[in-house]
Amino acid sequence: MKTCVVREADEGAGDGQCHRHRNDLSPGALDFSAAGHLYATHQLHAFAARLPPPLAEWAINTFTDPGDHVLDVMCGSGTTLVEAVLTGRIGHGVDIDPLARLIAMAKATPITPEDVLTLIARIEEAFEGDLDDSWRPDLPRLDYWFRSDVSADLARIKSAILATTSDDAVRRLAWVVFSSLIVARTSVANAKDLVHSRHHYEQRKENPDTVARFMRQLRRAARLMDEFGKRLDGVDWHHARLAGNDARAMSVGSELMDLVFFSPPYVSALDYPRAHVFAVAWLADVLSTSVNQYRAHARDYVGTDRAPLAEATAGQPMPPASGYTVVDEVVQDLAESPAKAWVVYRYFRDMTHVLSECARVTRPGGHVVVVVCPSNIRRIHVPTHQIFAAIAPQLSDGLLEAEVVYERTIHDRRRVMPYLEKAFGERMRTEYVVVLRRTPRRTLGRPE
């Protein structure tokens, strides 16, 4: 297995000896620093650590043909699903986070701008009448995080959406626009930067014109859907589908996918439940959950650092051997920080289940492509891409073989959040695209 390097300086593709697929890795093919990312519906809702749409497009066009099945097992805000629709593939998405699933399907479901404009007109008419503003989420310290008049406005918006929508896709889009008022760098909540999981309290001195902002976001959604539709002109496109909520145990049949493409969370990185909890609270009835259930479920997320010592005991203060030398070496390097050692151990244990499931659902000859960045934990380097490339062939009776690893530059202005190098170690400026090939075996049949 070789590594192809795509650097900002030379934009090359390594020594020219790396494996090539249908699309050659042309100079700068994976360097998207200057490429436009905000097309179609990709900017409908803020989302931390979003995958660059051109990277998803590259993988889909490189490893599949139109009409093929593409699965993102950690689909997040739906970048891969949107690109699957735009390229005429059949996109399938899995995600553990209920808000992520709602956003992903709203972004990947084309709606005519006329339908959105009709919704806008009906909601404007509804606001002229009396709307119930009494509903409140079961959110601890609600009045601390939301001004009382903002809460009343949000309740009125919810009432307007419920009173004016019946079509599932249109209503879902309205809920996502509603959520985008809260999960935003400039949120209507009393918080700074709710996109990320390290938000801080910031009291609003006045109502941020919540209702008017919602209407502006709806009109923007109409424009985005219009562009989405124009890009689909002439494309034999297919509706995206949800395929479960846990990448470690998917409700997907075996050997059905031509490509599994995803970007897992980093080890001990973003805490999506903390970033999303305010929006989830306001949409608890829509998402069929509660704040307490959502927060409890957060311990099950891959990469979480919640309850790190839950499995530790007096007799087993450090994690047991994982069975993979490359994992155990990193865990042992963190012996002075047992909590972090357990976080790393749990992450790679979870990811072995994810990769095994990916091997199961991918057809023989298909590919599993993983986009990942290494981490620094307590100044210990965690070469996640190398670990994935090493352990994948050992899973599922050798159904995956490591084919090539591409390296690409992460530009500082594209980074998710500030990185405290003095406290945590050198900032990561590269990420890796690990290409795994599903080895030949019997085919069990394809979905219609």
Side-chain angles (χ1 to χ4, degrees), residues 171-405:
R171 179 172 287 189
R172 182 171 53 214
L173 177 67
W175 289 135
V176 168
V177 172
F178 178 86
S179 173
S180 74
L181 303 177
I182 301 168
V183 181
R185 288 183 171 84
T186 306
S187 172
V188 298
N190 292 328
K192 290 194 298 185
D193 201 4
L194 263 177
V195 177
H196 302 137
S197 56
R198 298 181 182 179
H199 56 267
H200 300 284
Y201 178 80
E202 183 177 62
Q203 184 178 11
R204 285 194 166 275
K205 304 300 183 184
E206 59 185 11
N207 190 312
D209 213 359
T210 305
V211 172
R213 182 180 293 194
F214 175 70
M215 298 309 299
R216 288 196 299 272
Q217 292 292 79
L218 267 183
R219 294 186 184 94
R220 176 171 168 269
R223 294 192 297 272
L224 297 179
M225 282 296 174
D226 184 39
E227 185 190 349
F228 194 12
K230 289 177 179 176
R231 287 177 175 266
L232 290 174
D233 187 32
V235 176
D236 183 15
W237 63 274
H238 308 267
H239 283 286
R241 312 167 183 181
L242 287 178
N245 56 19
D246 192 338
R248 293 159 292 195
M250 292 186 283
S251 55
V252 177
S254 297
E255 301 187 358
L256 299 180
M257 297 298 151
D258 298 281
L259 170 66
V260 176
F261 175 76
F262 69 107
S263 180
Y266 301 164
V267 186
S268 186
L270 286 164
D271 188 335
Y272 284 99
R274 188 167 185 264
H276 293 170
V277 67
F278 291 169
V280 169
W282 278 97
L283 293 171
D285 51 338
V286 177
L287 300 173
S288 301
T289 189
S290 69
V291 170
N292 287 338
Q293 290 172 336
Y294 184 63
R295 284 177 165 162
H297 190 42
R299 294 188 178 190
D300 297 329
Y301 283 44
V302 173
T304 182
D305 59 2
R306 296 185 183 224
L309 296 175
E311 298 179 44
T313 65
Q316 184 74 66
M318 284 286 289
S322 69
Y324 304 100
T325 302
V326 288
V327 175
D328 295 338
E329 288 175 348
V330 175
V331 170
Q332 289 304 313
D333 286 342
L334 289 165
E336 295 183 2
S337 302
K340 291 299 183 184
W342 277 100
V343 168
V344 171
Y345 170 81
R346 291 191 323 192
Y347 175 80
F348 286 107
R349 182 181 63 189
D350 283 342
M351 286 305 301
T352 59
H353 292 303
V354 172
L355 291 171
S356 292
E357 278 288 85
C358 291
R360 179 183 66 81
V361 304
T362 304
R363 68 166 177 82
H367 288 83
V368 176
V369 179
V370 188
V371 181
V372 70
C373 186
S375 300
N376 279 321
I377 299 179
R378 294 290 188 266
R379 304 188 71 86
I380 299 298
H381 181 62
V382 184
T384 311
H385 61 294
Q386 294 177 359
I387 295 175
F388 285 170
I391 67 177
Q394 302 178 52
L395 303 171
S396 302
D397 299 322
L399 290 182
L400 291 177
E401 60 182 11
E403 204 169 60
V404 62
V405 176

Side-chain angles (χ1 to χ4, degrees), residues 41-58:
T41 53
H42 285 304
Q43 59 177 326
L44 181 64
H45 191 290
F47 204 89
R50 277 189 300 196
L51 182 82
L55 185 54
E57 180 189 29
W58 169 83

